[in-house]
């Protein structure tokens, strides 16, 4: 664990809270000091929920450390069970409480409670939130189904044919604080129904203990979010013989592959390709208007599932050039590296936002696809950005229907990615012609009455940074930008300005130029194009 201003994932007990809050009839007893109750805000604010998560905190204080905190834990467990009467009780501890080593799970198991007790051991100093969610979901499934598990169960995914019914599947992985999970479920249900497939259980989001016990009755498991559900799907495959799908249906191509894979696993006849009738993204990619997007340089960073999917969409469906790909999730590092290698890139696996910012600045993309952290980074660098992954802000949880998966999800992704590029072009044109009185007189951008001021605020830090660099260059006897050179540089599009400046300075040093004017800049451009 390390202290940082921003973090991509919370500690693992927040992941456990996501599972508990997603389900019905579950209660989570969290052994934690008073300050660790902040996580409630994530659900009430970001998810816009009208109720608190089903969590009881022991909320011990400094003065309690001089007594028996174990008895404090047992007292809270008894009160929680009596008050909430849950169908199952999760028991764990926060990162701070882990240091006390009270082992609340063992205490709860020895109290003879009349409800199933799932003890969670979540190493807070080596694991993160997504791992905590996956481990909690796994322990729940294993604790409830272990007695029925059979390595030689002989599960038959085509039993639906013999029984004269529709095939049934489970949708595993969606949870609260996931990226658009609520809408993804609706879209995938619709997609499966169109293919004659019924949904048996959705878990953990909206599921009960009874629902989890019905999971083995389905023909197939669909792993919608590998970060949360892959370990559960693998365990069900080993112990119940239940196959599971590996394709995440984000994007037109992935949705086509998903339908094909599911029908293949269920031994259903394949259908014709319907993407051209279902998604506007395919139509746009084949239109003349799409020429504006072709070849746009894009940097992608987020959770593994959405980052990998975004890379495929960017390259194969929109004709972008992916210049950076990475994830903050260590558990998804291997598939992310494999996806990056196919693009001729080295994946960035990091949870340090400063390292991500440095990589974005170096790549000089024209569009950033990332989390709310990358949105802040892109804003500082003056680059358009679209949020595609958690962590997210409340503005990324729209009240309207806005999935990422399936045909409609492809439409939403197209709109979300294209709009920042269009607005970025508008702001660039305003910047290019800001000295033209015929253009700027009385003009206001989409930023409103603050348009001119906002532009100055964006440009000014760059100017200050440039002035500092010029002083440094003077001290080191390096080339200095003249006022004429600065004006020429300001006309360069913001998304490649940094790269042009670096190349020009490199050329000037090689050519022995003391001052950089507009002619030097154009000579450098010709030099690097040759």
């Amino acid at each position: 664990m390390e202290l940082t201003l921003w973090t991509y994932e919370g500690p693992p007990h927040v992941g456990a809270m996501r599972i508990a809050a997603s389900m019905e009839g579950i209660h989570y007893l969290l052994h934690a000091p008073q300050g660790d109750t902040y996580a409630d805000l994530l659900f009430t604010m970001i998810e816009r929920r009208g109720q608190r998560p089903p969590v009881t905190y022991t909320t011990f204080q400094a003065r309690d450390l001089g007594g028996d905190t174990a008895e404090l834990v047992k007292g809270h467990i008894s009160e929680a069970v009596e008050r909430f009467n849950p169908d199952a009780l999760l028991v764990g501890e926060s990162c701070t409480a882990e240091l006390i080593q009270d082992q609340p799970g063992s205490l709860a198991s020895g109290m003879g409670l009349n409800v199933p007790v799932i003890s969670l051991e979540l190493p807070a100093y080596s694991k993160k939130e997504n791992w905590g969610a996956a481990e909690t979901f796994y322990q729940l499934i294993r604790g409830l189904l272990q007695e029925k598990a059979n390595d030689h169960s002989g599960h038959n995914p085509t039993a639906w044919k013999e029984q004269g019914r529709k095939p049934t599947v489970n949708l595993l992985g969606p949870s609260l604080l996931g990226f658009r999970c609520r809408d993804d479920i609706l879209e995938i249900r619709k997609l499966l129904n169109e293919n004659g497939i019924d949904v048996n259980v959705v878990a953990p989001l909206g599921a009960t203990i009874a629902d989890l016990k019905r999971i083995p009755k389905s023909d197939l498991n669909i792993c919608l979010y590998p970060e949360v559900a892959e370990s559960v799907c693998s365990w069900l495959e080993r112990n119940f013989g239940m196959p599971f799908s590996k394709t995440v249906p984000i994007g037109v191509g992935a949705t086509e592959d998903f339908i094909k894979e599911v029908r293949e696993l269920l031994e259903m006849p394949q259908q014709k390709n319907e993407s051209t009738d279902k998604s506007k993204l395919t139509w746009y990619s084949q239109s003349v208007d799409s020429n504006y997007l072709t070849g746009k340089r894009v940097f992608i960073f987020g959770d593994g599932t959405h980052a990998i999917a975004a890379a495929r969409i960017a390259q194969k469906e929109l004709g972008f050039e992916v210049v950076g790909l990475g994830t903050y999730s260590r558990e998804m590092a291997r598939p992310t590296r494999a996806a990056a290698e196919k693009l001729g890139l080295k994946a960035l696996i990091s949870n340090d936002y400063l390292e991500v910012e440095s990589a974005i600045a170096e790549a000089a993309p024209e569009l950033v696809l990332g989390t709310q952290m990358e949105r802040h980074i892109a804003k500082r660098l003056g680059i358009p950005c679209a949020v595609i992954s958690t962590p997210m802000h409340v503005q990324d949880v729209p009240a309207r229907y806005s999935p990422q998966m399936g045909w409609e999800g492809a439409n939403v992704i197209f709109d979300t990615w294209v709009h920042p590029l269009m607005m970025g072009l508008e702001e660039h044109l305003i910047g290019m012609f800001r000295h033209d009185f015929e253009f700027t007189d009385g003009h206001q951008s989409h930023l409103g009455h603050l348009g001119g001021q906002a532009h100055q605020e964006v440009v000014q830090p760059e100017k200050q940074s440039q002035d500092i660099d010029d002083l440094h260059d003077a001290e080191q006897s390096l080339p200095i930008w003249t006022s004429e050179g600065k004006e020429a540089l300001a006309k360069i599009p913001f998304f490649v300005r940094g790269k042009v400046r670096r190349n020009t300075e490199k050329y000037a040093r090689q050519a022995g130029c003391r001052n950089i004017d507009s002619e030097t800049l154009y000579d450098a451009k010709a030099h690097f194009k040759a």
Side-chain angles (χ1 to χ4, degrees), residues 182-304:
R182 175 199 65 189
D183 297 342
D184 284 347
I185 293 172
L186 297 176
E187 185 66 18
I188 297 306
R189 272 186 181 275
K190 178 182 176 182
L191 186 65
L192 292 171
N193 287 337
E194 290 174 351
N195 282 270
I197 302 170
D198 287 340
V199 175
N200 177 37
V201 173
V202 176
L205 188 59
T208 64
I209 293 299
D211 290 332
L212 298 188
K213 292 180 178 179
R214 291 191 295 110
I215 285 178
K217 295 182 179 180
S218 295
D219 300 306
L220 176 71
N221 288 322
I222 292 179
C223 184
L224 284 184
Y225 303 93
E227 282 90 347
V228 175
E230 188 170 31
S231 56
V232 165
C233 290
S234 296
W235 186 83
L236 290 169
E237 185 177 49
R238 293 193 306 270
N239 291 274
F240 289 89
M242 297 182 71
F244 67 95
S245 64
K246 310 296 193 301
T247 305
V248 179
I250 300 179
V252 173
T255 299
E256 292 174 351
D257 292 346
F258 169 77
I259 294 172
K260 181 179 179 181
E261 180 187 15
V262 169
R263 297 185 71 92
E264 192 174 276
L265 289 171
L266 294 170
E267 295 188 10
M268 300 176 71
Q270 297 295 335
Q271 293 183 335
K272 68 172 185 176
N273 186 340
E274 298 180 335
S275 61
T276 54
D277 302 324
K278 299 290 186 178
S279 175
K280 297 296 183 183
L281 189 152
T282 304
W283 167 84
Y284 187 88
S285 296
Q286 297 172 349
S287 70
V288 175
D289 290 344
S290 68
N291 291 336
Y292 168 67
L293 299 178
T294 303
K296 291 292 183 183
R297 295 165 53 83
V298 59
F299 190 101
I300 303 170
F301 192 87
D303 69 52

Side-chain angles (χ1 to χ4, degrees), residues 17 88 99 135 145 192 217 270 371 415 496:
M17 288 181 64
L99 300 173
E135 180 66 11
L145 301 179
L192 292 171
K217 295 182 179 180
Q270 297 295 335
T371 73
D415 286 340
V496 292

Side-chain angles (χ1 to χ4, degrees), residues 79-209:
E79 292 173 5
V81 172
E82 182 179 354
R83 178 182 177 186
F84 298 104
N85 191 27
D87 297 326
L89 181 69
L90 301 176
V91 183
E93 52 198 349
S94 72
C95 47
T96 310
E98 183 181 330
L99 300 173
I100 304 175
Q101 298 184 348
D102 279 332
Q103 297 182 328
S106 298
L107 293 174
S109 299
M111 291 176 63
L113 301 173
N114 60 353
V115 298
V117 175
I118 309 296
S119 177
L120 302 176
E121 296 183 6
L122 307 176
Y125 295 93
S126 59
K127 298 295 184 179
K128 295 284 187 178
E129 178 183 329
N130 280 337
W131 184 91
E135 180 66 11
T136 302
F137 190 36
Y138 169 79
Q139 291 295 344
L140 257 175
I141 296 293
R142 183 177 177 181
L144 294 171
L145 301 179
Q146 182 67 54
E147 294 181 358
K148 299 180 181 179
N150 185 351
D151 290 333
H152 306 286
S153 61
H155 179 87
N156 182 11
T158 62
W160 60 275
K161 294 181 178 180
E162 303 168 2
Q163 298 171 8
R165 59 172 174 81
K166 288 184 178 181
T168 62
V169 299
N170 302 313
L171 305 183
L172 303 182
S175 70
L176 292 179
L177 294 183
F179 196 74
R180 311 282 174 85
C181 291
R182 175 199 65 189
D183 297 342
D184 284 347
I185 293 172
L186 297 176
E187 185 66 18
I188 297 306
R189 272 186 181 275
K190 178 182 176 182
L191 186 65
L192 292 171
N193 287 337
E194 290 174 351
N195 282 270
I197 302 170
D198 287 340
V199 175
N200 177 37
V201 173
V202 176
L205 188 59
T208 64
I209 293 299

